[in-house]
Amino acid sequence: MKRTAMAFLLVAGLFSCKDKNVPDVSRIKVELSVLRFEQDFFAIDTNQVMGSLNQLGEKYPLFLGDYLFNIMELPGISDTSTQELNLLKKFINDYRPVKDSADKVFRNFRAIEKDVKKGLQFVKYYFPAYKTPPQLITYIGPMEGYSDVITRDALAVGLQLHMGSNYSLYRSSLGQSVFPDYISRRFTPDYIVVNCMKNIINDIAPEKGGSKPLVELMVESGKRLYVLDKILPFVEDTLKTGYTAAQLKGCYENEGMIWNFFLTNNLLYNIEPVNIKSYMEEAPNTPELGDRSPGAIGIFVGWQIVKKYMSKHAELSLNELLNTDAKKIFEESKYRPG
């Protein structure tokens, strides 16, 4: 397959195209309580683990099971589960320094709580039938495991992957082998609200499997980013896309060249994973477009296609957009950047 190299002309600075018609959601009622599970979990008596877990279960009747079985990936635990109980004790001992660091980074959680609650108000505005999670539960789990998830009754936030990009564990050789710089630079508190809202969007409209051509994958991702932009209008585009300021600015400045690359190389309708994954998956860059380009650049392209489509279909609700066929969106958008 023919591929052409392209240099990105990137300029430092932040480009953010904001919608000035942001609705007033201040009067929308949203219930959200914050529970600091990691505080209670690391306070358990390791000489009486089962008794402590039973007490913890009274405060976290649903989340404790999710934490033990899904996040910690432990089987059923009982008084006779010696191996599992020892694993819990070891985890508490090994991760005590992480918890202590989290206590300092997240000494005051009110600003994050306020931003998440504000995001939920926009969710209720655009998706009034959706039942928003009534709780935000923070926890500390294995570094290589889950981070931010949506559970049966809560938004759950794994603080171990929000400690700040310069956190010592991320910078260690072991940390870098699991989470290289292009990933760990996003392990900051700023990404908590973004990840929470992404999980809600996925809960509203679960992603569908199956093989699709690249352009439809782009549009599907673009739909979700468009919705995220609407429910987080107060958050910078760099956080919503995960791109650096220079990468995002470069994407806008080279939008026509990027599109021409996909056209020239006949990539839009390609369905072979090996040929299209570099445009949709996490990576330090998109090699075919230069080492300063962002990875997953297809998400940016899909976002622009959806914006073009919605500029012609302003009457569509966000729920209708999420349920609109990706092929239809692409064809009717007439997306042709200069």
Side-chain angles (χ1 to χ4, degrees):
M1 182 175 63
K2 178 184 177 184
R3 291 183 178 176
T4 57
M6 178 191 308
F8 261 61
L9 302 175
L10 298 173
V11 181
L14 177 67
F15 185 99
S16 181
C17 182
K18 295 298 179 185
D19 184 352
K20 296 181 180 179
N21 299 315
V22 176
D24 180 7
V25 299
S26 60
R27 296 181 182 275
I28 295 178
K29 301 297 182 183
V30 168
E31 299 296 328
L32 183 70
S33 58
V34 174
L35 298 177
R36 302 296 297 272
F37 176 83
E38 79 281 359
Q39 302 289 349
D40 296 322
F41 179 75
F42 279 84
I44 68 175
D45 183 353
T46 53
N47 294 315
Q48 299 289 334
V49 175
M50 278 308 303
S52 297
L53 289 179
N54 288 332
Q55 291 180 354
L56 205 57
E58 295 177 4
K59 185 173 181 179
Y60 303 93
L62 294 179
F63 182 72
L64 179 61
D66 289 330
Y67 180 78
L68 294 176
F69 307 136
N70 297 324
I71 294 172
M72 294 294 295
E73 297 185 343
L74 296 174
I77 296 179
S78 67
D79 288 316
T80 59
S81 305
T82 304
Q83 182 178 2
E84 287 75 19
L85 293 177
N86 285 336
L87 285 173
L88 274 183
K89 292 179 183 179
K90 186 176 188 306
F91 177 81
I92 290 172
N93 181 65
D94 291 347
Y95 274 73
R96 179 74 63 183
V98 179
K99 189 265 182 184
D100 292 342
S101 296
D103 286 345
K104 297 175 183 177
V105 175
F106 298 99
R107 182 180 293 110
N108 187 336
F109 206 78
R110 285 193 294 271
I112 295 173
E113 177 184 1
K114 180 180 178 181
D115 284 348
V116 172
K117 191 169 185 178
K118 190 173 182 181
L120 292 177
Q121 288 177 306
F122 279 98
V123 170
K124 290 297 291 184
Y125 175 84
Y126 288 112
F127 302 94
Y130 179 73
K131 184 178 179 181
T132 57
Q135 298 177 322
L136 188 155
I137 300 176
T138 63
Y139 72 91
I140 289 174
M143 282 286 179
E144 69 280 8
Y146 288 101
S147 178
D148 305 332
V149 296
I150 187 166
T151 68
R152 290 170 287 176
D153 67 337
L155 292 165
V157 176
L159 300 181
Q160 76 278 1
L161 295 184
H162 287 292
M163 305 288 283
S165 58
N166 290 320
Y167 183 51
S168 58
L169 280 182
Y170 307 155
R171 306 307 304 167
S172 68
S173 58
L174 179 61
Q176 283 289 295
S177 68
V178 180
F179 301 115
D181 281 342
Y182 71 91
I183 295 177
S184 63
R185 71 172 183 78
R186 300 198 297 270
F187 288 175
T188 69
D190 291 337
Y191 278 90
I192 289 177
V193 64
V194 172
N195 292 350
C196 284
M197 295 306 119
K198 283 182 176 180
N199 286 332
I200 284 181
I201 293 170
N202 289 337
D203 193 41
I204 292 171
E207 295 189 62
K208 299 176 182 178
S211 178
K212 295 179 181 178
L214 176 59
V215 71
E216 292 185 28
L217 294 176
M218 288 177 174
V219 172
E220 288 295 341
S221 295
K223 287 195 291 185
R224 294 169 188 278
L225 187 50
Y226 183 91
V227 173
L228 184 67
D229 199 31
K230 291 296 183 180
I231 62 179
L232 291 179
F234 55 92
V235 171
E236 295 296 345
D237 289 349
T238 49
L239 296 175
K240 286 177 282 195
T241 60
Y243 299 166
T244 67
Q247 287 173 339
L248 185 57
K249 188 173 181 66
C251 284
Y252 280 112
E253 292 182 346
N254 294 278
E255 187 178 350
M257 296 171 63
I258 297 168
W259 184 243
N260 186 62
F261 168 79
F262 286 108
L263 292 179
T264 302
N265 291 282
N266 298 313
L267 288 168
L268 295 184
Y269 295 98
N270 198 308
I271 62 172
E272 297 298 328
V274 69
N275 294 330
I276 64 180
K277 68 176 183 178
S278 64
Y279 309 114
M280 299 301 301
E281 295 183 0
E282 195 107 66
N285 54 53
T286 302
E288 298 86 353
L289 301 177
D291 59 7
R292 293 186 179 181
S293 64
I297 200 168
I299 296 174
F300 170 82
V301 176
W303 188 26
Q304 308 316 306
I305 293 172
V306 172
K307 285 193 282 188
K308 186 68 180 295
Y309 175 80
M310 288 301 286
S311 71
K312 301 178 179 181
H313 298 83
E315 75 286 353
L316 279 187
S317 69
L318 294 187
N319 193 57
E320 289 172 325
L321 169 65
L322 288 172
N323 288 286
T324 300
D325 181 71
K327 182 180 179 182
K328 173 183 171 69
I329 290 175
F330 170 58
E331 291 177 347
E332 293 187 8
S333 72
K334 305 298 183 185
Y335 176 70
R336 299 292 186 275

